[in-house]
Amino acid sequence: MAAPPHIAWLKDTGERRQTACGREIEIWELSPEDDAAALSAWAAHFRYHYCADADLAALAAGTGKSHAEFLKTILFPDEKTAPGPSLRSGDFGEILVADFIEFILGYWCPRELRYQDRWNRQDSTKGCDIIGIKYVLPQGDHANDELFVFESKSGLSPTDRNRLQDAVTDSMKDHLREAMTLNAMKQRLLVRGEADQVGWVQRFQNESERPFRRINGAAAVLDIDVFATTDLEATDTTGHQNADNLRLLVIRGPSLMKLVHALYERAANEA
């Protein structure tokens, strides 16, 4: 799958910070441009996480709503009513980190069903935030096949919390949630008849018989003003079960909450 054009706006700053426990934090930057075509492509990519365009007419049928109204009032988290804005912020961060894993790091990152199967638009999906899969060989298992389990937290509005620390703390729970998350992914793929993808997920369900390499990640997606006031160096990964294979990522950008609402608006209006 070709990378959507907005991926070109996500760049490594080269800046690195060090946590309180001596681990490296990568600093990346999202710098959106005033490019209508690229923003429309991004909105379509974003919308697909909630609903395939091919299914939209059937889903909206019978509701008495236009496609845009259906998306805004039934599918997307609400723009103003809590917890809608925080869910929008969190979903944006997760999807952006999934884009990073898939289009920059080169993993297969099945994530759309996490949002398409959400029953309540005002409630987040449980389990590990993002799963990435990478194989060494085109066919057959290899001990260096990788399962990348990432937790993402967003700080797009003023906060006194260290959102990277929040992501690390949540990542410490992923050893308990991983099996359930993989099973949920497998169930959703089975229902959709995606036999090949079921096998790709199944390969990572029995580590003792089919060894693989596990990588964990913790990411914070931060508005530049929140980034400026966050003490990233206070982040502590002590006690993480996979600390030796833990990747720490911060993505910063300007006026990100404004961007999030504009992206949802475009995604609905251009459907």
Side-chain angles (χ1 to χ4, degrees), residues 2-46:
H6 70 273
I7 299 301
W9 299 338
L10 185 58
K11 299 184 183 299
D12 187 353
T13 67
E15 179 183 353
R16 298 294 183 265
R17 302 283 185 90
Q18 192 172 69
T19 66
C21 54
R23 302 200 176 278
E24 183 180 86
I25 305 169
E26 301 175 40
I27 310 297
W28 287 64
E29 191 157 74
L30 178 66
S31 302
E33 298 176 9
D34 186 15
D35 182 329
L39 289 169
S40 290
W42 191 0
H45 167 77
F46 196 78

